[in-house]
Amino acid sequence: MILAAGLGTRLKPLTDHLPKALVNVGGQPLLDRIILRLRAQSYQRFVVNVHHLADQIEKHIAEQDGYGVHVMISDEREQLLETGGALKKAAHFFDDDEPVLIHNVDILDNVDYDWLRRQHLDDEDAVLLVSRRKTQRYLLFDNAMRLMGWVNTSTGELRSPYDWVKNPDSAELDMENYRLIIMRGTTEISLNLFAFSGIHSFSPRLFPLMERFPDRFPIIDFYLQTCHRTRIYGLNKPDLRLLDVGKVDTLAAAEQFLNNPNA
């Protein structure tokens, strides 16, 4: 599923009359670049959600003859649903138990998606691609890389369905080693900090748990509220490179990234 419904506010004035998905980078619209790259790695079925200037995206896909794969449109014209709501609305497109790759239309990366697909084991409900890089918001994982919660390092806010994570006796950040040290009585628990890439593999068997969620919500809220009763894991890619092509001033950097994505 390619998330392409955003307003592209940071790319104004380009997106006043052009949807973000069709912004040209390196001689190709962002949407084309992602679909063709994934097609080369054996992906054959795509869902693209649309909202802002949706007609242009639908027309463009038709003009490409669907890129030679099966492209379906999830229509969010009436309301922009955020990442979790978008996936919930598109649930009917995923009629089997195969994991769904979720990718933002405005992200460039150096991920081998055939490799990523193989990392999602049958007993895992979701696999979140992560890395250790400087940010303010981190996902928290135990040593088996099972999701435990989330922390904002600038405010100290902790979110987790586990009370011992959300309300510890004390908590100390060790940013040199990317760890959160939690004390519960005399017990010390160390959790690993990783930054989420926004790229993840999602099992359709999680859809029933979304029924109690509103129409519009971020996917990370879903993961953080259900990780205590599901099997959601982080996958660390130490050499991960990402570029968010979300601002006009990143377009030049995008050209350089495409020329050498592993530099």
Side-chain angles (χ1 to χ4, degrees), residues 24 42 96-97 101 105 190 192 248:
N24 196 295
S42 300
D96 53 34
D97 201 35
L101 172 66
V105 77
S190 179
N192 301 288
V248 173

Side-chain angles (χ1 to χ4, degrees), residues 175-241:
M175 294 311 300
E176 182 177 351
N177 295 301
Y178 287 90
R179 288 185 174 270
L180 176 70
I181 311 300
I182 286 177
M183 294 300 300
R184 292 287 286 180
T186 59
T187 302
E188 180 180 293
I189 304 166
S190 179
L191 295 177
N192 301 288
L193 277 65
F194 285 95
F196 183 35
S197 66
I199 300 167
H200 45 124
S201 182
F202 175 95
S203 171
R205 61 177 170 260
L206 288 176
F207 280 128
L209 294 181
M210 285 186 168
E211 292 176 2
R212 65 182 180 87
F213 280 74
D215 290 340
R216 180 177 181 176
F217 62 96
I219 190 62
I220 205 67
D221 286 2
F222 172 78
Y223 287 147
L224 290 173
Q225 290 181 45
T226 62
C227 63
H228 62 306
R229 53 197 182 108
T230 56
R231 299 178 62 83
I232 300 173
Y233 288 88
L235 175 63
N236 178 28
K237 180 174 169 57
D239 63 343
L240 178 65
R241 292 193 67 223

Side-chain angles (χ1 to χ4, degrees), residues 105-121:
V105 77
D106 56 357
I107 294 292
L108 302 178
D109 61 79
N110 66 337
V111 179
D112 178 339
Y113 283 98
D114 184 54
W115 165 81
L116 177 58
R117 178 166 42 196
R118 295 195 304 272
Q119 306 315 303
H120 191 148
L121 304 181

Side-chain angles (χ1 to χ4, degrees), residues 6-25:
L7 299 175
T9 306
R10 295 176 299 157
L11 279 170
K12 284 180 172 290
L14 288 175
T15 49
D16 285 341
H17 305 287
L18 185 72
K20 177 172 61 175
L22 300 185
V23 169
N24 196 295
V25 175

Side-chain angles (χ1 to χ4, degrees), residues 41 49 75 77 134-135 140 148 155 173 214 224 234 238 246 262:
Q41 297 189 41
N49 69 329
D75 193 337
R77 284 176 173 88
K134 294 296 181 183
T135 183
L140 301 171
M148 294 283 115
T155 66
L173 285 165
L224 290 173
N262 294 306

Side-chain angles (χ1 to χ4, degrees), residues 1-7 19-22 31 47-61 71-82 86 89-90 93 105:
M1 181 167 184
I2 298 175
L3 300 174
L7 299 175
K20 177 172 61 175
L22 300 185
L31 181 63
V47 174
V48 179
N49 69 329
V50 296
H51 173 79
H52 178 58
L53 301 174
D55 291 350
Q56 289 190 37
I57 297 176
E58 288 186 313
K59 180 182 177 183
H60 180 80
I61 291 172
V71 181
M72 298 158 283
I73 297 295
S74 183
D75 193 337
E76 296 180 23
R77 284 176 173 88
E78 291 186 3
Q79 182 185 18
L80 192 59
L81 299 176
E82 298 192 54
K89 180 179 174 63
F93 288 113
V105 77

